[in-house]
Amino acid sequence: QVQLVESGGGLVQPGGSLRLSCKASGDIFSINTMGWYRQAPGKERELVAVVSRTRGSTNYADSVKGRFTISRDNAKNTVDLQMNSLQYEDTAVYFCCVHVLPGWAQYWGQGTQVTVSS
């Protein structure tokens, strides 16, 4: 079992920045990938960014490339999402998610609200 706790959401104006953080606890040695998903009202949950444990390779949704940066600290068991140049369309609940091995099970955080509004 892995437990995830997110922090850092809030209200920001268009063009502003926020930093989300997620800390993992429990069976942390089983964690492979760590990432962020988001779900806007009336829409399906979508991948925002993900980072692998070993190589640190990253993958981003096209809509956030060049604006968001995911980073991972394996020593602290954290994954952060730096979000710059935020747009109205980025408004959503953001969820931290990890995949573990073996089995590729998923664990989710409780979600943190990000609202972009003037």
Side-chain angles (χ1 to χ4, degrees):
Q1 293 281 337
V2 175
Q3 294 79 43
L4 302 171
V5 177
E6 301 124 331
S7 61
L11 174 64
V12 64
Q13 293 184 341
S17 299
L18 279 177
R19 188 176 184 90
L20 306 182
S21 184
C22 173
K23 183 169 179 63
S25 60
D27 189 12
I28 57 174
F29 296 105
S30 68
I31 295 175
N32 186 272
T33 64
M34 301 183 79
W36 291 91
Y37 288 69
R38 67 186 181 186
Q39 188 166 19
K43 294 187 176 181
E44 294 186 354
R45 193 171 296 188
E46 63 175 358
L47 173 70
V48 177
V50 64
V51 57
S52 68
R53 179 182 184 91
T54 53
R55 296 183 179 181
S57 57
T58 57
N59 189 34
Y60 293 91
D62 288 342
S63 59
V64 307
K65 284 180 181 177
R67 300 188 298 120
F68 291 11
T69 303
I70 190 169
S71 60
R72 177 172 181 167
D73 187 330
N74 288 334
K76 296 181 179 179
N77 305 308
T78 59
V79 59
D80 291 352
L81 185 69
Q82 177 65 44
M83 305 184 293
N84 298 328
S85 302
L86 282 160
Q87 304 168 357
Y88 293 114
E89 298 74 31
D90 296 316
T91 295
V93 178
Y94 284 70
F95 296 89
C96 179
C97 176
V98 303
H99 286 85
V100 301
L101 291 175
W104 206 243
Q106 282 182 308
Y107 292 93
W108 295 90
Q110 80 282 1
T112 184
Q113 177 71 46
V114 171
T115 302
V116 183
S117 175
S118 56

